[in-house]
Amino acid sequence: MVNVTASTALQLRSLVRSNGELEVSLQSVPVPEPAADEVLVRIQATPINPSDLGLLFGAADMSTMKVGGTPSHPVLTARIPDKFMKAMAGRVDQSMPVGNEGAGLVVKAGDSPKAQALMGKMVALIGGEMYAQYRCIKAAACLPLPADATAADGASCFVNPLTALGMVETMKREGHSALVHTAAASNLGQMLNRICLKDGIALVNIVRKAEQEKLLRDMGAKHVVNATSPDFMAELTDALAETGATIAFDAIGGGELAGQILSCMEAAINGKAAEYSRYGSATHKQVYLYGMLDTSPTEIVRNFGMAWGIGGWLLFPFLQKIGPAAGQALRERVAAELKTTFASHYTRTVSLAEALSPEAVAVYGQRSTGAKVLIDPSKGMG
Amino acid sequence: MVNVTASTALQLRSLVRSNGELEVSLQSVPVPEPAADEVLVRIQATPINPSDLGLLFGAADMSTMKVGGTPSHPVLTARIPDKFMKAMAGRVDQSMPVGNEGAGLVVKAGDSPKAQALMGKMVALIGGEMYAQYRCIKAAACLPLPADATAADGASCFVNPLTALGMVETMKREGHSALVHTAAASNLGQMLNRICLKDGIALVNIVRKAEQEKLLRDMGAKHVVNATSPDFMAELTDALAETGATIAFDAIGGGELAGQILSCMEAAINGKAAEYSRYGSATHKQVYLYGMLDTSPTEIVRNFGMAWGIGGWLLFPFLQKIGPAAGQALRERVAAELKTTFASHYTRTVSLAEALSPEAVAVYGQRSTGAKVLIDPSKGMG
């Protein structure tokens, strides 16, 4: 049994000041007492997902980053360009906890049987505020891990697995039969490949590096296209013609890629067309931007007819749309395939303080494919 | 009674050659004999809509335009940039007739009672190939005009009226309660204003010139924003906050405007928000691009959260989606309000040959708001 002795513990906070300064720091906050239906979890593993970076750094220009404070209580600051401050209006001058998901040990439990049943268990949890030594949360938000799973095994059990499954589910629900994924060698992309291989769904992977191509091909991926190839457009068109993919999930967001995908989809469709259609093909082509690894503007050269759409895609609204029963079915699949289909890999594990070091930010802040950082808030805490 | 004497007549044709040359010319084609359920219409008025320009000029760079041939049989040529030739693949080396809609006199009719009933009547018609002296068409595709209507009155009775009504219908069907329109002083925009005023729907008009602002305000438009104003973004945000518009129909397509509209919608929503949402507002914001007055790339600065979409919108797929009964209801409204809500105005009327003159192309080819050209194929034909 682990005992909680301290009455306060560290929590990472992100603050956007009205003067356009971002400040990320560690705060001492009271360790909460769990209510009847709650448990107190000592967090041991919590990933820095691309989806956390928005709340963590806001729209700050990270090239202006400075780290001050002390080694145990670093304070990271950066400037937010004026043009983005309007989008930040809702969070100005509010110190915000960060961290979508994590895993750890239940060290205290409320009186309810459901909470008590989790006492001493290793659990995965989702609900924000995970970049902290302790997280008090409803017992219902916890997923007990298999006996042989470590906190690191369970740390990324929600966001990436449900996002990958959500893409396949969206593809089916919107009437497509194959899909495209960008930044495809990421942890998420690897999961998506494992899902598609297992389920027999054709997937076109777009990457930017030869080693990423190799990594995916070694996993068994059939369609891998390198966006830096001089023949990228032709190669992508061929892969789209072969698979019939008319929906894409793009993690990059900025630049020309989303438009290029639509353009190649149209070319692949028209390559099979019997008759010219003046407004382009009547087949609806869709790209969902679910991330923004590239925060620069999205530039769309509209040479793909009129039957197209680009839009945002987010896990939580998707889960809301499909309803609790369908969501539960996805969660059960994740639990059943935690160490296979849904395994995650990390580049490095850092303490809360180390997460604010320039070295760590350089790894996860560059939003680069496959460089994933895990925070262990129990690390270096004696 | 008008008699058809000639066995051949002129038809405007657009041809994209595989070498990247566009050629628009007048061809002598046989005058068809109507089948039992068809009528032969002597076209007297057919508008050059922005929606005709795609088929007429393809993706040609009109700054390279040359006009040769003879005054009665001009031949217009222009270069199509290589990068757009892929999108032209389906029409290469096929000479294509042009012209979405028109109006004229029924001069010959098939044996069926429905066709015979139209003999000698002035009708409006839709179905392509209208830039011609004669159009043979199913009687069912003709809308008989009121006795006091000229061909010019009825020439634009489908595309613009149904598009404007389609926007309002789309707004309602997708759960929005007010809308935004760009290039709002166009013939279509003026119609949309008359519809919205009549139906009590809030409409935010975006224009680029002071005289367009005045024109719309004089019509009774309440919300008119000038995109060239130094305070455009703030003024648009205010209008969006007042109206609650979360859907826009954009005729321009290129440049930053579509993204700016989404950005101002988000700011208007967040101005009323009680709590910060890390992924932006949960309210879906939609921009449909239904035209491309600006063929340059669409540039989207994504500072409006994740609940958004941009896509193509076209009249014919929309009509298909709502089904024949709903479509018929829209048509009946157009017929009932032809000289009021759905009246069109033209900058100039030209013959088929004059339509290919540099002077005429300079008017309609610039795709500028409100400069609408009408072709009268019976003009100058003796």
Side-chain angles (χ1 to χ4, degrees):
Chain A
M1 181 66 61
V2 177
N3 285 305
V4 183
T5 48
S7 60
T8 64
L10 292 181
Q11 186 181 57
L12 187 149
R13 293 292 191 92
S14 173
L15 172 65
V16 170
R17 295 189 197 278
S18 54
N19 67 2
E21 185 180 70
L22 166 78
E23 180 185 292
V24 184
S25 62
L26 300 185
Q27 304 282 317
S28 286
V29 296
V31 175
E33 199 59 31
D37 60 346
E38 291 179 339
V39 294
L40 184 69
V41 181
R42 185 170 193 246
I43 303 292
Q44 290 169 322
T46 171
I48 303 181
N49 286 314
S51 56
D52 291 306
L53 293 180
L55 188 57
L56 187 59
F57 293 147
D61 174 357
M62 296 309 288
S63 72
T64 65
M65 174 181 75
K66 291 191 186 110
V67 180
T70 65
S72 68
H73 283 72
V75 178
L76 181 159
T77 56
R79 293 292 314 164
I80 297 170
D82 285 350
K83 62 179 170 178
F84 294 125
M85 280 304 289
K86 189 175 268 184
M88 299 284 103
R91 61 173 288 188
V92 161
D93 294 332
Q94 295 171 54
S95 171
M96 311 199 71
V98 187
N100 274 320
E101 64 183 337
L105 206 58
V106 175
V107 293
K108 233 181 204 183
D111 289 337
S112 74
K114 201 162 177 182
Q116 283 294 320
L118 293 174
M119 191 60 204
K121 291 253 168 70
M122 185 70 78
V123 296
L125 54 171
I126 188 158
E129 314 186 16
M130 298 297 163
Y131 297 168
Q133 289 180 276
Y134 294 96
R135 176 70 161 93
C136 188
I137 199 164
K138 298 259 188 238
C142 296
L143 182 69
L145 294 178
D148 62 343
T150 64
D153 288 334
S156 297
C157 213
F158 295 97
V159 177
N160 276 353
L162 293 178
T163 299
L165 287 171
M167 290 172 180
V168 172
E169 193 69 20
T170 299
M171 174 201 85
K172 290 179 189 164
R173 286 173 184 245
E174 299 189 2
H176 307 268
S177 59
L179 74 167
V180 180
H181 188 225
T182 73
S186 65
N187 263 292
L188 175 64
Q190 294 177 37
M191 272 181 204
L192 186 59
N193 271 282
R194 290 190 291 262
I195 294 167
C196 289
L197 285 167
K198 193 159 186 178
D199 297 1
I201 294 165
L203 168 66
V204 177
N205 294 279
I206 300 178
V207 298
R208 296 189 55 84
K209 291 180 182 163
E211 60 263 35
Q212 295 165 340
E213 258 184 279
K214 182 172 183 320
L215 184 152
L216 293 178
R217 290 200 196 278
D218 288 351
M219 282 181 67
K222 197 173 160 198
H223 305 281
V224 187
V225 186
N226 190 323
T228 66
S229 158
D231 297 322
F232 170 59
M233 297 290 278
E235 289 161 4
L236 179 57
T237 303
D238 287 347
L240 294 169
E242 263 182 70
T243 56
T246 46
I247 186 168
F249 291 86
D250 174 33
I252 294 166
E256 297 188 356
L257 187 57
Q260 287 173 330
I261 294 170
L262 291 172
S263 176
C264 293
M265 284 176 176
E266 180 74 359
I269 293 162
N270 286 340
K272 298 173 182 168
E275 197 183 332
Y276 174 65
S277 165
R278 54 196 302 189
Y279 294 118
S281 77
T283 306
H284 185 78
K285 299 160 291 292
Q286 181 71 38
V287 177
Y288 284 115
L289 311 186
Y290 74 93
M292 39 172 152
L293 295 177
D294 178 351
T295 56
S296 73
T298 310
E299 195 183 318
I300 305 163
V301 177
R302 303 178 317 287
N303 59 357
F304 37 69
M306 293 296 276
W308 63 278
I310 296 182
W313 190 94
L314 264 190
L315 177 59
F316 296 105
F318 164 76
L319 289 174
Q320 213 155 23
K321 192 155 93 185
I322 66 172
Q328 188 53 30
L330 300 183
R331 275 190 181 86
E332 280 164 18
R333 177 164 181 188
V334 176
E337 302 172 32
L338 184 61
K339 290 198 159 199
T340 54
T341 313
F342 301 108
S344 282
H345 304 283
Y346 303 95
T347 309
R348 62 199 285 181
T349 301
V350 297
S351 69
L352 279 173
E354 286 162 357
L356 300 186
S357 69
E359 297 76 37
V361 174
V363 175
Y364 66 78
Q366 68 186 348
R367 297 164 192 251
S368 101
T369 291
K372 204 176 176 74
V373 169
L374 189 68
I375 301 176
D376 177 358
S378 71
K379 195 183 164 196
M381 293 300 164
Chain B
M1 181 68 58
V2 178
N3 286 305
V4 182
T5 49
S7 62
T8 64
L10 292 181
Q11 187 181 57
L12 187 148
R13 293 293 191 92
S14 172
L15 173 64
V16 170
R17 295 189 196 279
S18 54
N19 66 2
E21 186 180 72
L22 166 78
E23 181 186 291
V24 184
S25 62
L26 301 184
Q27 304 283 316
S28 286
V29 297
V31 176
E33 200 59 30
D37 60 346
E38 291 180 339
V39 294
L40 185 70
V41 181
R42 186 171 191 247
I43 303 292
Q44 292 171 323
T46 171
I48 303 180
N49 285 315
S51 56
D52 291 305
L53 294 180
L55 189 56
L56 187 59
F57 293 147
D61 173 358
M62 296 309 288
S63 72
T64 65
M65 174 180 77
K66 293 190 184 111
V67 180
T70 66
S72 68
H73 283 73
V75 178
L76 180 159
T77 54
R79 293 293 312 162
I80 298 170
D82 286 348
K83 63 179 171 178
F84 294 126
M85 281 305 288
K86 188 174 270 185
M88 300 284 104
R91 59 173 289 189
V92 162
D93 294 332
Q94 295 172 55
S95 171
M96 312 201 70
V98 187
N100 275 320
E101 63 182 339
L105 207 58
V106 176
V107 293
K108 232 182 204 183
D111 289 337
S112 73
K114 200 160 178 184
Q116 284 293 321
L118 294 175
M119 190 61 203
K121 291 255 169 70
M122 185 69 80
V123 296
L125 53 171
I126 187 158
E129 312 184 17
M130 298 297 164
Y131 297 168
Q133 290 180 277
Y134 294 96
R135 176 70 161 95
C136 188
I137 199 164
K138 299 260 186 240
C142 295
L143 181 71
L145 294 178
D148 63 341
T150 64
D153 288 335
S156 297
C157 108
F158 296 97
V159 178
N160 276 353
L162 293 179
T163 299
L165 288 172
M167 290 173 180
V168 173
E169 194 66 20
T170 300
M171 174 201 85
K172 290 179 188 164
R173 285 172 186 244
E174 298 189 1
H176 306 268
S177 60
L179 75 168
V180 180
H181 188 225
T182 73
S186 65
N187 263 292
L188 174 64
Q190 294 176 38
M191 272 182 205
L192 186 59
N193 271 282
R194 289 190 292 262
I195 294 167
C196 288
L197 285 167
K198 194 160 184 177
D199 297 1
I201 293 165
L203 168 65
V204 177
N205 294 278
I206 300 178
V207 297
R208 295 190 57 83
K209 290 180 183 164
E211 59 264 35
Q212 295 166 337
E213 258 186 277
K214 182 174 183 317
L215 185 154
L216 293 178
R217 290 199 196 279
D218 288 350
M219 284 181 67
K222 195 173 161 200
H223 304 281
V224 188
V225 185
N226 190 324
T228 66
S229 158
D231 296 322
F232 170 58
M233 298 290 279
E235 288 161 5
L236 178 57
T237 303
D238 286 348
L240 294 169
E242 262 182 69
T243 56
T246 45
I247 186 170
F249 291 87
D250 174 33
I252 294 167
E256 298 190 356
L257 187 57
Q260 287 173 329
I261 293 170
L262 290 172
S263 176
C264 293
M265 283 176 176
E266 180 74 359
I269 293 163
N270 285 340
K272 297 173 183 169
E275 195 182 332
Y276 173 66
S277 164
R278 51 196 303 188
Y279 294 117
S281 77
T283 306
H284 185 79
K285 299 161 291 289
Q286 180 70 38
V287 177
Y288 284 114
L289 310 186
Y290 74 93
M292 40 173 153
L293 296 177
D294 177 352
T295 56
S296 72
T298 311
E299 195 182 317
I300 305 162
V301 177
R302 304 179 316 287
N303 60 357
F304 37 68
M306 295 295 278
W308 63 278
I310 295 183
W313 190 95
L314 265 189
L315 177 59
F316 296 105
F318 164 76
L319 290 174
Q320 214 154 22
K321 192 155 94 184
I322 66 171
Q328 188 52 31
L330 300 183
R331 275 188 182 85
E332 280 164 17
R333 177 164 181 188
V334 175
E337 302 171 32
L338 184 62
K339 290 199 162 201
T340 54
T341 313
F342 301 107
S344 281
H345 305 283
Y346 303 95
T347 310
R348 63 198 286 180
T349 301
V350 296
S351 70
L352 278 172
E354 286 163 355
L356 301 187
S357 69
E359 298 74 40
V361 175
V363 175
Y364 66 78
Q366 69 187 348
R367 298 164 192 249
S368 101
T369 291
K372 203 176 177 74
V373 170
L374 189 68
I375 300 177
D376 176 358
S378 70
K379 195 180 165 199
M381 294 299 163

